[in-house]
């Protein structure tokens, strides 16, 4: 039962351009959506989140957009940097911190 | 460095064996979560403890069990191991259980069952 889906296993972008990572979910009870970044041999690191009462949250070069009607969220990275190369996981959960559901991840490669 | 530590980093064992994975949460965090990441898959939530009590269960097999001790460290016990149990096991911690709280992940334990 995959309630959170990241349909693109990989994405390659040129340095300085925009990276757009997409995520779809099926459970309308999800209230919070998060993006984690993971480098090899490390655990996931929290990047940015958004509550279901918002449609956009921005933190520096990172912006997350939420479209509740489409059950879709996206992460925009502008401008992309080679250090952003990592696996990005989308996650979602209800109004407590239990049972967070993760997507399968998208491997982003930013080419110099 | 997230402040969450996990030991061991790597573990190689045989089918049918039992292993214990250990996690120390960030100082001050009361919640501990365990996740499994199999090859090319997302993280699957296994179980959560809050201040020593089991709080939530996810896709945890009956062969697996966990506990959180009074000093808040946690152990995940995997028994009667099968080849399919080979995976990365992550521990995460957070201060409480609120929806806005961030989970901080440890570096993971890579388990290989031969």
């Amino acid at each position: 039962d995959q309630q959170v889906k990241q349909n693109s296993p990989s994405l390659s972008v040129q340095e300085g351009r925009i990276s757009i990572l997409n995520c779809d979910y099926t459970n309308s009870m999800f209230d919070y959506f998060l993006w984690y970044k993971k480098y090899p041999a490390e655990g996931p690191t929290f990047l940015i989140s958004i509550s279901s009462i918002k449609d956009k949250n921005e933190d520096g070069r990172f912006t997350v957009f939420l479209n509740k009607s489409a059950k879709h969220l996206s992460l925009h990275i502008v401008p992309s940097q080679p250090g952003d190369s990592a696996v990005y996981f989308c996650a979602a959960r209800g109004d407590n911190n239990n049972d967070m559901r993760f997507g399968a991840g998208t491997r982003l490669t930013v080419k110099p | 460095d997230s402040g969450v530590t996990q030991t061991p980093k790597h573990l190689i064992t045989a089918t049918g064996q039992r292993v214990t994975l250990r996690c120390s949460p960030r100082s001050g965090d009361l919640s501990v979560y365990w996740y499994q990441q199999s090859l090319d898959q997302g993280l699957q939530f296994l179980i959560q403890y809050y201040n020593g009590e089991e709080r939530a269960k996810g896709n945890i097999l009956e062969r697996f069990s966990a506990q959180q001790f009074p000093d808040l460290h946690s152990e995940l016990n995997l028994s009667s191991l099968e080849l399919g149990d080979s995976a990365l096991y992550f521990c995460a911690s957070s201060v409480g259980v609120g929806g806005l709280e961030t989970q901080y992940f440890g570096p993971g334990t890579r388990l290989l069952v031969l």
Side-chain angles (χ1 to χ4, degrees), chain B residues 66-84:
Chain B
Q67 55 183 330
Q68 186 180 27
F69 294 86
D71 67 352
L72 301 177
H73 91 271
S74 178
E75 292 181 357
L76 179 66
N77 300 297
L78 315 176
S79 62
S80 303
L81 284 167
E82 301 175 0
L83 296 177

Side-chain angles (χ1 to χ4, degrees), chain B residues 30-41:
Chain B
L30 299 178
S31 270
V32 169
Y33 312 78
W34 286 98
Y35 293 87
Q36 178 192 56
Q37 184 186 16
S38 301
L39 192 63
D40 292 335
Q41 301 222 352

